[in-house]
Amino acid sequence: MAVITGAEIFIDGALQRLDVAFDEKIRAIGRNLEGEERIDCSGKIVLPGVIDVHVHVRDLEQSHKEDWASLGRAALSGGVTTVFAMPNTQPPLDSVERVRDYRRRAQASSLNAYVYGAITRENLQNLEELAPHVDAFKLYLGETTGQLVISDKKLHREIFKIIAQTEKILTVHAQRGGDPTDVTRHEADDILYVLDLAAAYETKLHLAHVTTQRAVEAILEAKKSKIDVSFETCPHYLYFTAKDREERGAWLKMNPPLATEEDREFLWWALGKGLIDIIATDHAPHTIEEKSVGYERAPAGVPGVEFLLPLLFDAVNADKISLARLVEVCCLNPAKRFGLPKGEIAVGLDADLVVVDPDIKKTIAREAVQSKCGWSPYEGLTLRGWPVMVVVRGRLQKKSSVRSSLK
Ligand code: DOR
Ligand code: ZN
C-alpha cells in the first residue's frame, strides 16, 4: 500500500489536509495513515485523475501522427489518466476484431483506455454484435477526418434505434461540414435534429464539441424534457475564436470550427454556472508538415490532451472558475456519464490521481510537447499550476522533474 501525505486532497467538493492510502483502489482517507511507501506531497494538491472522453489516438496506419505510446506520454504529463479513443482511425474501429486489436495496442500507454466503436453503412447490421466490445458508439453527421460520415436520414433513424437497444451511449458529431461561418451559424439546428432523434428512440446521447451559445441553450432546454443527453465543449473553444483562425489559419482549423467571441464568453459563463457537463479535448494530432500546407488543404484538428488540466487549473488560479467546477467537468461528470468506477477520491474507487503543484508557472514551448505531432495551439501561453505526478490504478507515473520535490 502507498500513502500520499502532506497534500491538500480534493474530497467531497473541497480541499482537505488528509492522507490517501491506495493500491489499485483507494483504500483509506484519513490522518496518519500507514503504508510501505510514503509519498510526501507537501504543498501540492491532489485531484482525481482527469478523464478525457474525446481523444484521437490514431495509431494503426496513422501512427506517424500519434500512437498509443506517445499519446500515453502526452496524457500522463498533463494529468490525464483515462481516455476514450475515437474510432475514425485508419482503418476505422468498425469490427470486433479491430476493437480488440486496438485495446491490445492501448497497453503501450499505461492509461485507462476506453474505446469507441465506429458506425458505418457497412456495419449497421453488426452493431449489436459489436456493442459488448465497445465502451460507446460514435456517429459522424458532418464531414471530417476519416470516411465515417453518414448523411442518409433514414439511416440516422435506424442507427438511433439500434444503439438505444444496446444501451450504450451514442456520441454524435452533429455539426455539418463546410464553410466555417456557415457551420457555426447552423450548429444549433444540427443539434436540434439530433435531439429529436434521441427523444424519438430514447437513445442515450452525448454531443461532442459544442461551440455556440444557441446550441448549449437548445441542449439545456432538451434536458428539461426526458431526453437523456449530455454534452462537451473543448478548451480551444474557450481560448480561441474565428478571429484567431483568420490570423493563424490551418493551425486553428478544426471541426467544428471556432465560433464567435460572444460564444466563447458564453462558454466560460456557462462553465462557471455549472451548465457544461464535460470538457474534453478532441485531441486531434496532425503533424507540423501536414498542417503547413495552407488552410484549405490542411487536415482539421488540433492536439490538446496534455494541456487540458494546466489550462483549466490556470483558470482556477485566476479565479475564473472554482476548483470544484474543474473537477466536475474533467473527472466527476465524465465518470458518472460513462459509468466508470473513478472520477473522485473516495474509498473503493480506482486509484487514479493527479498531484498538482499549484504554483509552478510554465510557458508552453514546442520543444516540450509530448504528443508525436510535435506542436500545440497553446504555444507561448504561460500557465500557473502543473501536474507533477500521476497515479494510474495505483501505479505511480513520476515525472523526472518531480522526484526531488517528492522526498
Ligand atoms: O477537427 C477535427 N479533427 N474534428 C473531428 O471531428 C475529427 C478530428 C480528426 O480526427 O482529425
Ligand atoms: Zn473528434
Side-chain angles (χ1 to χ4, degrees), residues 54 56 58 62 65 86 88 138 140 142-146 173 209 236-237 253-256 282-286 291 299-302:
H54 193 148
H56 298 270
R58 312 294 188 206
Q62 290 180 323
K65 297 176 195 265
M86 284 297 165
N88 64 332
K138 176 79 181 273
Y140 289 89
E143 208 66 54
T144 191
T145 309
H173 179 135
H209 39 49
H236 39 276
Y237 305 116
K253 177 181 181 178
M254 81 281 298
N255 294 319
D282 194 3
H283 176 79
H286 299 286
K291 279 296 211 181
V302 295

Side-chain angles (χ1 to χ4, degrees), residues 190-245:
D190 293 342
I191 278 174
L192 281 168
Y193 169 69
V194 173
L195 286 166
D196 281 346
L197 286 167
Y201 296 102
E202 299 184 15
T203 320
K204 290 182 193 168
L205 173 66
H206 179 70
L207 290 155
H209 39 49
V210 176
T211 73
T212 61
Q213 174 171 358
R214 280 184 55 230
V216 171
E217 286 171 347
I219 298 164
L220 295 178
E221 196 55 37
K223 283 188 174 192
K224 292 183 192 160
S225 64
K226 275 209 186 125
I227 304 178
D228 185 354
V229 59
S230 57
F231 75 101
E232 75 198 25
T233 190
C234 314
H236 39 276
Y237 305 116
L238 291 167
Y239 278 82
F240 306 116
T241 67
K243 266 228 155 59
D244 298 304
R245 176 183 63 237

Side-chain angles (χ1 to χ4, degrees), residues 8 24 34 38 40 44 51 58 76 130 140 146 189 222 228 235 242 287 299 307 311 323 331 356 366 369 383 402:
E8 305 258 353
E24 78 259 27
E34 296 295 325
R38 301 182 69 77
D40 179 5
K44 312 285 192 290
I51 300 169
R58 312 294 188 206
L76 293 176
L130 183 55
Y140 289 89
D189 305 330
D228 185 354
T287 65
F307 303 115
L311 286 165
L323 186 60
C331 317
V356 177
R366 182 167 284 196
V369 168
L383 303 173
V402 172

